[in-house]
Amino acid sequence: MAESTASQIIDAIGGPGNIKSLTHCATRLRFELVDAGKVDQNRLEHMKGVLGAVPQSGDRYQVVIGGGVATMYDKIMQLPQMANIGGGEVNNDGSKKLSNAEVKAQERSKVKGKHAWVDNFFEFLSDTFRPIINVLLGASLIIAILNVLIACHVISNDTESPTLLLCKAAYEGVFYFLPIMIAYNGAKKLKVDGWVGATIMAALMTPQFMALSAPDKWSGIFGDKSGLAAAKGALNCVTNATLGTQSCSTKVFGLPLQLNDYSGSVFVPLFMVAVLALVYKGLERIIPDSVQMVFVPFLSMVIMIPVTAFLLGPLGVWVGNGLGVGLAWLNNNAPFIFAILIPMLYPFLVPLGLHWPLNALMLVNINTLGYDFIQGPMGVWNFACFGATAGVLVIAMREKNVDMRQTAFGALMAGLLGGVSEPSLYGIHLRYKLVYKRMLIGCFIGGVVIAILGWIFPSTLANGQVVHGVTTTAFAFTSLLTIPVFSQMWVYAIAIAVAFFVSMFLIITLDYRTAEQKAADHAVEAQQSMDEVEAPAAASDNTAATATATATKTATDTVVAPVAGHVISLDEAGDPVFASRALGEGVGIQPTDSTVYAPVSGELSTVAETGHAFGIKTDDGVEVLVHVGIDTVKMNGEGFTPAVIKGQRVNAGDKLVTVDFDKVKAAGFNTVTLMTVLNTAALGGVTPKTGIDVKPGDAVLEISR
């Protein structure tokens, strides 16, 4: 079997192992190579389907294909040997289309700074909490459903009810044993045996340890009444008036031991695994490999259980209580800070992975105060995010954009039902940056609503305490299903509805794309529509077929200037590929105007997303390329405003694009507009007219058959 052109190109370029990345522009394959010296240029230049081969600076290399470059690129990327080569889907300008994971990594790389310990701290928090997100989500949904069942009187709210106790156990197990989960994940993140971390934290949550502070409750573990009496007599308890909690201490080995309920704690396991990592790795260095499996875990437990009980546990509780009291004071005295600032900050924190400290504080609030006031404003941001996605979905449905409709629908369902914003962020919002400008307005207005209503109608807790803002006693993912877990539910519902519909309205009204992105989308839609109707139309519409046949008989004998300016030869233009005539004979025009027009009548076979290149095929088969500037693909559409889409028919003189040539010059690129006849070799001849000044419509190329 003959080797395909795609395979031949890869062989001639030095093989897949010589390729770092591959993209394409309007006419060329753009390679970044390991070693450009391995390229067989002579073979490439004489290869069928290749119009030219041009070395670039460094180890970059271009293979000129012409109008079929996108098809050739697809064939190359489908080769088995190219499976692990950087490339993937590309935009019309040749830039790589990033996957959601790559978008996430790209955003998070923005916070990588000079201080590695800061980066490591946020990464530690993120990787410690991320694995338990699913069970936290499940618990929050159980709480929401339970609240609805109680409100509908399906389940009694009697705290002694066995049914209610079982339902509470279904979700409280997650929060009660949260310190063990955090300890396990945190230890593994620090490259320590996760089960050692979990065991140390579990020791402080056993009935035996709990009995030290509540001997009456756990009397069954004492052998006789004298032991119970001794435990009671050793207790020294103090009540915290602010938090309404009791702190007890006793003496163990003659040392004072502060006793705490560590269930639901966040800071204690985080502090513990940080110290455990030092101890564990220190023991690994001094204990022989042959007995590490036994003695490293053993000594780690012997050291860390008392260190955590006597020192780190009380320290973590003290930090948590301090933060809880401080945040509660700030919320009651300056509630607008949380209500407006939180929804405005979260859109920037979540993509960068910097929201985990706030999530941890929510858990701390619930554990210390018995309620949290951050999640209400956070819900405003989430629903503004989902509203923006809904707006994108409406536009996609209206424009019959199948790919975006599927992406937006999936992201919207994940958000409204699961409270998960990542599919919206990484799948849509961070790819189309205009979304943020619309969405932030929804965040702000929703924040103002929750701030005002939360101040006028404060929440009243079970203990009678009045708290400004929307509160919740559970860690909840803010979705439609978890609305019932919020106190002052109607205030919360109004605020998230306002955020949702404001964002949605702004996206639908103002769109989520730049002019270039919109034109590219329309080009795809037009091509899809043409594909759907092309075959049946050709078979059934005799009138259209006759008209096409008539048009084909009209020969194209001239190609006119697409822009006003001075005409030069391709040799003077400054691009070696065009100068080699690999893309056909043509001219360069040094522009004096900002508008570029169609040089012939026909169908647009190519429209670069960046607006810098256009391919037109006339009815009699002449293929003309208009390329605005040299290497302007690197401008990514800045300064270019296309007026047409791929698949559209144009007449000579129709506007193709408006260009800010001052911006092109400022970016350091040559503004010369190049125009060639791609299939020159198939024609009798193409004669350029150079050295003249022209205006749009003046003949610059003569075509003979």
Side-chain angles (χ1 to χ4, degrees):
M1 182 182 292
E3 188 179 18
S4 69
T5 303
S7 295
Q8 292 179 51
I9 290 174
I10 297 305
D11 289 342
I13 213 74
N18 195 35
I19 302 172
K20 289 183 180 178
S21 66
L22 170 61
T23 58
H24 72 83
C25 63
T27 57
R28 319 172 202 180
L29 296 169
R30 294 172 175 261
F31 290 90
E32 185 177 351
L33 303 174
V34 176
D35 181 5
K38 295 182 178 180
V39 176
D40 187 344
Q41 183 159 344
N42 182 63
R43 182 183 176 189
L44 282 171
E45 289 177 338
H46 293 86
M47 191 178 293
K48 184 179 179 180
V50 174
L51 302 179
V54 185
Q56 302 286 295
S57 60
D59 287 309
R60 293 181 296 115
Y61 206 91
Q62 295 184 6
V63 178
V64 185
I65 302 297
V69 66
T71 301
M72 181 60 69
Y73 173 86
D74 290 339
K75 289 180 179 178
I76 289 175
M77 296 310 297
Q78 290 169 9
L79 295 172
Q81 61 265 40
M82 294 294 290
N84 298 318
I85 303 301
E89 292 185 85
V90 295
N91 299 306
N92 290 345
D93 64 353
S95 61
K96 183 180 177 183
K97 285 185 178 179
L98 302 178
S99 66
N100 283 5
E102 289 170 323
V103 171
K104 178 189 290 190
Q106 186 181 74
E107 290 298 315
R108 289 182 174 175
S109 68
K110 295 177 182 177
V111 297
K112 296 290 184 183
K114 298 180 180 178
H115 304 292
W117 69 270
V118 176
D119 300 334
N120 293 336
F121 171 71
F122 283 111
E123 187 176 344
F124 168 66
L125 283 179
S126 176
D127 290 348
T128 298
F129 282 96
R130 189 182 296 114
I132 57 176
I133 284 296
N134 292 342
V135 293
L136 288 171
L137 172 58
S140 69
L141 291 178
I142 293 174
I143 294 170
I145 294 170
L146 183 59
N147 284 351
V148 171
L149 294 176
I150 291 173
C152 296
H153 303 291
V154 175
I155 295 178
S156 170
N157 198 25
D158 182 0
T159 56
E160 300 299 322
S161 164
T163 302
L164 184 60
L165 289 176
L166 178 61
C167 291
K168 284 188 174 182
Y171 69 83
E172 285 191 349
V174 175
F175 298 103
Y176 185 89
F177 294 109
L178 184 64
I180 298 176
M181 301 179 194
I182 293 175
Y184 177 83
N185 292 333
K188 287 182 68 67
K189 176 62 182 175
L190 296 178
K191 296 182 172 27
V192 171
D193 187 338
W195 291 113
V196 174
T199 299
I200 294 169
M201 203 63 235
L204 275 62
M205 301 174 65
T206 58
Q208 287 79 6
F209 186 87
M210 300 297 291
L212 294 173
S213 58
D216 284 329
K217 181 177 179 181
W218 302 98
S219 59
I221 70 169
F222 292 98
D224 53 41
K225 294 183 178 180
S226 61
L228 178 59
K232 284 184 176 180
L235 279 178
N236 179 24
C237 297
V238 178
T239 301
N240 186 317
T242 304
L243 296 175
T245 58
Q246 189 179 64
S247 176
C248 298
S249 64
T250 188
K251 286 194 174 183
V252 177
F253 301 121
L255 299 174
L257 173 65
Q258 181 178 322
L259 301 170
N260 301 289
D261 181 359
Y262 292 113
S263 62
S265 176
V266 172
F267 287 109
V268 175
L270 292 175
F271 291 169
M272 183 273 292
V273 295
V275 178
L276 171 63
L278 299 175
V279 172
Y280 195 94
K281 293 175 182 178
L283 291 171
E284 284 183 322
R285 283 194 292 269
I286 63 176
I287 295 177
D289 293 347
S290 58
V291 292
Q292 280 188 5
M293 185 177 71
V294 175
F295 287 101
V296 170
F298 163 67
L299 292 175
S300 295
M301 293 166 59
V302 168
I303 295 170
M304 288 305 302
I305 289 175
V307 167
T308 306
F310 281 96
L311 179 61
L312 299 179
L315 176 63
V317 170
W318 178 81
V319 171
N321 287 348
L323 282 172
V325 171
L327 290 173
W329 180 89
L330 189 59
N331 181 63
N332 280 323
N333 289 274
F336 276 61
I337 291 179
F338 284 99
I340 297 177
L341 193 60
I342 292 297
M344 294 296 288
L345 281 177
Y346 252 88
F348 302 100
L349 297 178
V350 174
L352 303 177
L354 302 181
H355 60 302
W356 292 105
L358 276 175
N359 290 355
L361 288 177
M362 297 172 194
L363 292 166
V364 169
N365 287 339
I366 293 170
N367 191 45
T368 58
L369 303 175
Y371 67 94
D372 174 60
F373 44 82
I374 300 177
Q375 292 176 76
M378 185 192 74
V380 169
W381 119 255
N382 257 2
F383 276 88
C385 171
F386 307 150
T389 301
V392 172
L393 177 60
V394 170
I395 292 176
M397 294 175 66
R398 186 172 63 201
E399 297 182 353
K400 298 180 180 179
N401 187 331
V402 177
D403 290 341
M404 181 54 73
R405 183 179 65 199
Q406 293 175 343
T407 299
F409 180 78
L412 184 60
M413 291 301 100
L416 293 180
L417 300 180
V420 182
S421 60
E422 278 78 359
S424 291
L425 281 175
Y426 300 121
I428 303 172
H429 299 187
L430 292 171
R431 299 172 186 269
Y432 299 90
K433 298 301 177 67
L434 287 182
V435 172
Y436 262 61
K437 294 183 178 180
R438 325 300 191 217
M439 180 178 65
L440 285 173
I441 297 174
C443 290
F444 177 78
I445 296 177
V448 170
V449 170
I450 203 170
I452 294 175
L453 293 181
W455 178 263
I456 298 174
F457 304 99
S459 302
T460 302
L461 304 180
N463 61 6
Q465 182 183 356
V466 176
V467 179
H468 290 290
V470 173
T471 63
T472 179
T473 58
F475 184 86
F477 282 65
T478 47
S479 68
L480 288 176
L481 301 179
T482 58
I483 291 176
V485 307
F486 291 93
S487 180
Q488 294 298 66
M489 184 173 66
W490 68 274
V491 172
Y492 175 72
I494 290 175
I496 62 174
V498 168
F500 181 92
F501 287 109
V502 167
S503 296
M504 180 178 174
F505 173 78
L506 291 174
I507 291 292
I508 293 173
T509 305
L510 303 177
D511 211 289
Y512 62 97
R513 301 158 294 185
T514 62
E516 293 84 356
Q517 291 169 335
K518 190 173 182 179
D521 284 353
H522 287 171
V524 172
E525 295 155 18
Q527 186 62 47
Q528 290 173 341
S529 298
M530 290 175 63
D531 292 341
E532 291 173 0
V533 303
E534 189 176 39
S540 62
D541 195 341
N542 293 328
T543 303
T546 302
T548 301
T550 303
T552 303
K553 295 177 183 179
T554 304
T556 302
D557 53 14
T558 61
V559 180
V560 302
V563 65
H566 183 71
V567 184
I568 60 176
S569 72
L570 293 180
D571 299 312
E572 303 173 79
D575 188 302
V577 173
F578 281 94
S580 71
R581 272 53 175 195
L583 294 172
E585 184 61 87
V587 296
I589 301 177
Q590 297 167 332
T592 57
D593 196 9
S594 60
T595 305
V596 180
Y597 301 92
V600 291
S601 299
E603 181 180 311
L604 284 160
S605 56
T606 302
V607 176
E609 183 179 355
T610 53
H612 78 288
F614 303 85
I616 305 174
K617 186 174 183 179
T618 66
D619 293 328
D620 62 333
V622 177
E623 300 175 15
V624 179
L625 172 68
V626 178
H627 195 287
V628 185
I630 296 176
D631 283 338
T632 45
V633 63
K634 298 176 182 177
M635 293 189 67
N636 295 318
E638 289 293 325
F640 292 79
T641 307
V644 293
I645 60 175
K646 182 179 178 181
Q648 179 179 331
R649 284 196 61 83
V650 292
N651 294 318
D654 287 350
K655 182 165 69 173
L656 297 178
V657 62
T658 302
V659 186
D660 186 342
F661 282 112
D662 289 335
K663 185 173 287 188
V664 175
K665 292 176 183 176
F669 297 108
N670 191 333
T671 61
V672 65
T673 296
L674 299 154
M675 182 175 67
T676 65
V677 177
L678 293 171
N679 59 336
T680 296
L683 302 172
V686 176
T687 306
K689 296 181 178 181
T690 60
I692 59 175
D693 293 326
V694 294
K695 60 182 183 295
D698 292 344
V700 291
L701 293 175
E702 297 289 346
I703 296 177
S704 57
R705 300 285 170 171

